[in-house]
Amino acid sequence: MTVADVVRSTAPNSEGYFEFTLGEFHFRRDEYFVYISWPTGSHMMSVDAFLRAMQRDVAWDFFYGTVNFDGVFGTVNHYGTVDIFAGRFNDSYRKAELDYSENHETPAIRETFKSILADWTNAAFDPFASPHETGAAFGIKNGDNDSAVTRRRIAARRMVAVPGDEEIRTDESGFPVNRMFLDVDQSEPVVEVEPGFEGEVAAFNLFAYLSRSDVTWNPSVVSQCKDSLFCPTTEEYILPIIHGNDRVEWFVQLSDEITWAVEDRDTGAMRSRVTMKAGDVAAMPADIRHQGYSPKRSMLLVWENNSSAIPDLIASGKLPTYPIEF
Amino acid sequence: MSSGKPAAGGGTERSEYTTIFASLDNFDKGGVEIINDDARHYAFSNLFEVASKSKPWEKVAVAKNLEYVLEAVRAEGVSEWRTAAHDEFAVCMDGEVTVDLVKLDSSPLSADAQGSIAVNGEPAGKKMGRIHLKRGHQALLPAGSAYRFTSANPGVLMMQTIAGPDTQYRWAEICQTA
């Protein structure tokens, strides 16, 4: 499926935005809100929150497990197909039998979401930026911001700074130090390489690399040990989605502080609050969903096991939902 | 409060910010506030607290996801030489650590071996190079190489690797349990 196959209205609405359809789901926006409808109900979200969530879902290619845009609407990744749902992980919707879900081939939902994001993001708004760093998402159609919503996803194959792999960030490559990390040491490690080993002796300043990230809440791979992925990210304000796990993931707080609201993945019932300060390490069990709050831009290492076998092992009960028995 | 400056979003933000990193001598631990769960499911610990109670170069697991681990290592003095059949990575979380690398003429490990092992004596092979790490720096420890760390003062490394025979498990000691 390509962009040309996306189902959208023949003309923009009175606010200048196209409307979109995927299966039985229909999407439209006006100055302030997004309106989502499906055969058993409808829903409204602030366009600001919707576009921030949509941006992550698209950038992560639907990520691991569930991306809840809020307590009603979201997606579940099956790695080849994606469920789009309303009320599926909301106890009230389930009990009222008003929940609704459709499964689509990944390219169909990917292209639809990319088209919505491109059309509904105005020139002044960057969905990846913190509220202090961007203009408003609201108002009638006013240009676009394609360069912001189509940023390249960074995924080192071995490690950042290894020759031929992802490069470090610099002023010259368009990544100035973020205003909240101006005090982070920018010196790169001294690397002495013997002839013939230029491709294997490598190091970089991870903290400087993160201090130059131009996005928030967007894990990107900096090193890979087989299926073990280091996915650090810089966080400010609120994680725009509520992430529902299909596997255990781990957090290492590298700087500053984040508080996580942790809920039951399926019902949304509160399970805990996790406060992480620099150096803290915590697992996020495979049956929870979480949303983070970062008062100041912080550095977070998200550590993932990328094995494709895990979701089925968790779902079938062959693996526990928590990582350690002690 | 410090003086402010206009932000792009229309608000006013501070004119400068201080980034908080932690160290062996200065860490402030958060925690899990349980509402309806078991604290042990989060295996909550702190890298610097673990390293502060470890012997030099002990490899203490602070995170585990099936065969993969993150290890907290107290860097102090000169380590033994070690090798793994797969890439590993070391992040210097505190202090200054030098990494010496040698390409082993012959690896004692099979190609599919998991985790690192100690190399007996001095490694036989070509010198690959040396890396000088400070806080926040990350180094590749290439598959098939032997590596040795040196740290004049106590520091902390975080290792991205696979559990091996020398990985230490102290979950009940290091993790919040209630």
Side-chain angles (χ1 to χ4, degrees):
Chain A
M1 181 172 178
T2 67
V3 172
D5 301 315
V6 171
V7 179
R8 71 174 198 180
S9 54
T10 53
N13 61 18
S14 59
E15 286 86 8
Y17 301 105
F18 285 94
E19 299 181 14
F20 294 85
T21 300
L22 178 65
E24 296 297 317
F25 281 91
H26 183 75
F27 302 86
R28 69 179 174 91
R29 77 157 282 186
D30 59 18
E31 289 194 47
Y32 283 122
F33 296 110
V34 169
Y35 304 81
I36 308 169
S37 61
W38 60 92
T40 59
S42 61
H43 186 53
M44 287 172 68
M45 287 184 67
S46 163
V47 71
D48 174 276
F50 179 87
L51 290 176
R52 291 179 190 281
M54 177 72 83
Q55 176 69 82
R56 272 70 184 184
D57 214 9
V58 168
W60 303 341
D61 210 27
F62 309 101
F63 207 37
Y64 298 112
T66 307
V67 173
N68 296 283
F69 283 42
D70 62 5
V72 175
F73 179 77
T75 60
V76 180
N77 197 356
H78 298 293
Y79 313 99
T81 68
V82 176
D83 291 346
I84 179 171
F85 66 81
R88 178 169 167 184
F89 300 105
N90 182 303
D91 217 24
S92 298
Y93 275 77
R94 293 294 291 259
K95 286 175 179 171
E97 298 184 3
L98 289 173
D99 58 298
Y100 183 77
S101 182
E102 292 180 2
N103 180 262
H104 292 276
E105 297 291 325
T106 299
I109 186 168
R110 180 193 294 133
E111 294 305 322
T112 301
F113 278 21
K114 284 168 66 176
S115 297
I116 294 173
L117 190 60
D119 186 59
W120 291 3
T121 302
N122 287 316
F125 183 62
D126 179 354
F128 265 132
S130 74
H132 267 332
E133 296 176 304
T134 182
F138 307 114
I140 62 173
K141 179 72 173 172
N142 180 22
D144 54 43
N145 197 355
D146 287 344
S147 61
V149 301
T150 59
R151 286 180 172 96
R152 187 176 69 87
R153 188 182 188 194
I154 296 171
R157 296 177 298 283
R158 199 175 187 190
M159 188 187 77
V160 168
V162 170
D165 209 326
E166 294 288 347
E167 297 180 352
I168 63 171
R169 295 171 175 145
T170 63
D171 288 345
E172 292 70 29
S173 62
F175 293 96
V177 179
N178 184 269
R179 74 208 192 287
M180 287 194 181
F181 287 136
L182 293 174
D183 57 346
V184 174
D185 177 30
Q186 297 295 312
S187 64
E188 289 296 323
V190 176
V191 180
E192 305 167 20
V193 187
E194 298 293 331
F197 295 104
E198 292 81 359
E200 297 218 73
V201 180
F204 74 110
N205 187 337
L206 172 65
F207 290 178
Y209 181 83
L210 292 173
S211 75
R212 293 173 178 272
S213 171
D214 63 343
V215 293
T216 62
W217 306 102
N218 186 37
S220 56
V221 180
V222 300
S223 57
Q224 289 200 29
C225 172
K226 298 189 177 181
D227 274 327
S228 160
L229 307 184
F230 262 16
C231 311
T233 161
T234 53
E235 322 294 48
E236 184 180 336
Y237 190 51
I238 302 174
L239 174 59
I241 61 116
I242 309 167
H243 179 215
N245 288 6
D246 68 0
R247 67 194 69 204
V248 173
E249 65 180 350
W250 286 83
F251 294 154
V252 179
Q253 193 69 37
L254 299 175
S255 84
D256 304 288
E257 180 173 335
I258 296 177
T259 296
W260 295 94
V262 181
E263 302 172 340
D264 184 85
R265 182 190 60 193
D266 297 333
T267 68
M270 279 295 292
R271 287 174 55 166
S272 70
R273 275 166 45 90
V274 180
T275 300
M276 299 191 68
K277 300 183 180 184
D280 285 343
V281 183
M284 289 287 129
D287 58 352
I288 60 95
R289 64 194 194 194
H290 53 262
Q291 186 167 35
Y293 299 76
S294 186
K296 183 247 174 203
R297 204 175 188 96
S298 65
M299 300 181 185
L300 173 71
L301 172 61
V302 178
W303 180 48
E304 300 282 2
N305 185 331
N306 192 47
S307 169
S308 59
I310 291 178
D312 285 343
L313 292 171
I314 296 276
S316 64
K318 293 176 181 172
L319 278 181
T321 55
Y322 48 89
I324 311 294
E325 192 76 57
F326 68 96
Chain B
M1 194 181 103
S2 64
S3 60
K5 64 178 181 179
T12 302
E13 60 182 356
R14 293 174 186 271
S15 55
E16 60 182 43
Y17 291 86
T18 301
T19 302
I20 298 175
F21 293 108
S23 65
L24 267 176
D25 298 329
N26 185 16
F27 60 88
D28 181 21
K29 198 175 171 184
V32 183
E33 179 185 339
I34 290 297
I35 297 166
N36 183 21
D37 210 335
D38 183 336
R40 290 173 295 183
H41 292 173
Y42 299 82
F44 191 100
S45 69
N46 180 282
L47 277 166
F48 301 101
E49 184 178 60
V50 171
S52 72
K53 297 176 180 176
S54 298
K55 296 175 183 172
W57 311 114
E58 281 186 325
K59 296 155 58 69
V60 182
V62 292
K64 188 172 191 301
N65 202 329
L66 301 179
E67 68 268 41
Y68 300 105
V69 290
L70 303 185
E71 297 168 339
V73 176
R74 180 187 180 94
E76 186 174 3
V78 182
S79 77
E80 61 194 351
W81 288 93
R82 299 191 67 83
T83 186
H86 49 78
D87 285 347
E88 300 177 282
F89 302 90
V91 180
C92 181
M93 298 294 291
D94 187 22
E96 298 186 14
V97 179
T98 300
V99 187
D100 286 297
L101 293 164
V102 170
K103 187 70 173 179
L104 290 174
D105 290 337
S106 175
S107 173
L109 294 165
S110 61
D112 60 352
Q114 296 189 336
S116 69
I117 62 168
V119 175
N120 290 325
E122 288 295 309
K126 287 185 177 176
K127 287 185 179 177
M128 300 174 72
R130 174 175 287 180
I131 300 170
H132 302 271
L133 300 175
K134 295 181 179 178
R135 185 176 71 185
H137 295 178
Q138 177 172 357
L140 164 66
L141 309 174
S145 69
Y147 56 85
R148 181 181 65 185
F149 300 118
T150 304
S151 179
N153 298 303
V156 179
L157 293 175
M158 174 173 61
M159 301 289 295
Q160 179 188 10
T161 184
I162 302 177
D166 297 325
T167 304
Q168 305 284 311
Y169 300 106
R170 299 172 183 166
W171 303 112
E173 295 175 35
I174 69 172
C175 294
Q176 180 180 337
T177 55

